[in-house]
Each structure stands twice: as C-alpha cells, then as structure tokens.
Amino acid sequence: METKNAAGRKEKQIILASASPRRRELLALMGLTFQILPSEKEEIVTGSTPGEIVENLSFQKAEDVTARLPWTVREDGQEPDAIVIGSDTIVVCDGEVMGKPHTQEEAFAMLHRLQGRSHVVYTGVTVMCRAADTITYDTFSESAVVTVHAMDDAEIRGYIAKGESMDKAGAYGIQGSFAVFVDRIEGEYNTVLGLPVAALYQVLKRYL
C-alpha cells in the first residue's frame, strides 16, 4: 500500500548503504525512518584528491545498493520511490590516505604518526533517488581538521588495547575513549563521525 505524508505526497523509502552504527545513529537523530542495506561491492579507490576519493567510494556504495533493490511495479505502472544514502570516510595525513589497520602494530604506527599534530578527515556522501524509471543523485564531500594531543607509547598501546582501532580509518574512533586525546576539531564533528548531517539535510530536502 502506498504511504503518504501530511502533505499528501508519497513517502519515499530511505535506505542507508552502510552497517556503521555511528551513521545509523546520526540518521536517526535527523528524525528519519530508514532501513539498512550495506553495500556488498568491493571498494575501488579512484580520484586525484581526497574529496574525489570519498565521493567516488560513496557513489559506488549507493549505486550497488540501488541496483539490488527490487523493482516491484505498482498498479499505476510506476516503481516505488527509494532514496539510498552511501557514505565513506578517510583520514589523510601529509597528503597520504590512511585506511583501517590490519594489525595492532599498524594501528600503533598510524596513531604514532597522528599524535601531537593535525590531520584531515574527509567524508563523502551520495544521495541516490530512484523514481519510476529515473535515477538521479547528488554527491558531495565535507572535511574537518582534527588536532591530536601528544601521546606517549604507553598511551597509544593502552588505547589500542581497548579494541577501538581495528575497524576505524586512521586507527581511532573519535566518539570513543580516544576523545581524551583530541585537542580540537575545525569543521563539523559529524563529518569526523562519518556523516555530515547538516550538509546531508540540505540535499535530502530536494528529494523528500
């Protein structure tokens, strides 16, 4: 059955193409009702700048999930509207992209490099809308500068021992216990978390 909002317009299905708990929480804070369908596509890194890299990765995720959605035809002959949100985040230090560590020693090396200085976090977002037989999308990226206090080796290893490093770009999660080492953030905090909600809201207003 078709669902309509207070203005009488058909509600669009919103899908988050990510299993990230942080992104799920941020979408919920925006007051959105959504489903979660993580992308299964193997990431292919392309782009000449960090912004292009995260934008391309977010597009790949949104495109993959959109292509996997069932195209159930309604009685009026049109497919149900769907909005897919793909997002990706990278950490950049001295122009080098830092991914997720594979070992604790890799995590140590990353954090040792980040401590006592600033680095940049980039998050790319793609909002892909399927309506009838047409697909439109918007892709953008936001960045924030994160400055980390000096950390000695014992502090770094103590943080790694908490288990927060291994699935995080740059080997840290700013929402966890690493917060005590963050000196300041220049830019939107949510960009560092993985979803710049203010910029996303402005894009979603064009589709909802």
Side-chain angles (χ1 to χ4, degrees), residues 99-116:
K100 300 176 182 178
H102 298 95
T103 66
Q104 289 192 353
E105 286 309 309
E106 284 187 8
F108 180 87
M110 288 182 182
L111 293 173
H112 192 271
R113 185 174 178 182
L114 296 178
Q115 62 85 28

Side-chain angles (χ1 to χ4, degrees), residues 84-109:
V84 177
I85 302 171
S87 184
D88 200 89
T89 301
I90 60 174
V91 170
V92 178
C93 184
D94 294 331
E96 180 182 341
V97 176
M98 302 175 70
K100 300 176 182 178
H102 298 95
T103 66
Q104 289 192 353
E105 286 309 309
E106 284 187 8
F108 180 87

Side-chain angles (χ1 to χ4, degrees), residues 2 10 71-81 130-134:
E2 185 175 305
K10 183 169 68 66
W71 288 67
T72 305
V73 180
R74 302 197 311 266
E75 291 181 359
D76 59 8
Q78 294 182 335
E79 294 80 9
D81 290 353
R130 189 186 73 188
D133 59 351
T134 302

Side-chain angles (χ1 to χ4, degrees), residues 144-161:
V145 179
V146 179
T147 301
V148 180
H149 285 293
M151 303 169 65
D152 60 34
D153 289 0
E155 288 175 316
I156 294 175
R157 295 200 183 279
Y159 172 71
I160 294 172

Side-chain angles (χ1 to χ4, degrees), residues 125-177:
V125 180
T126 293
V127 177
M128 189 167 289
C129 182
R130 189 186 73 188
D133 59 351
T134 302
I135 293 177
T136 57
Y137 68 90
D138 281 274
T139 300
F140 64 92
S141 59
E142 296 288 326
S143 64
V145 179
V146 179
T147 301
V148 180
H149 285 293
M151 303 169 65
D152 60 34
D153 289 0
E155 288 175 316
I156 294 175
R157 295 200 183 279
Y159 172 71
I160 294 172
K162 296 181 179 182
E164 297 180 8
S165 295
M166 303 313 294
D167 63 341
K168 307 289 194 310
Y172 75 90
I174 201 165
Q175 75 283 353
S177 59

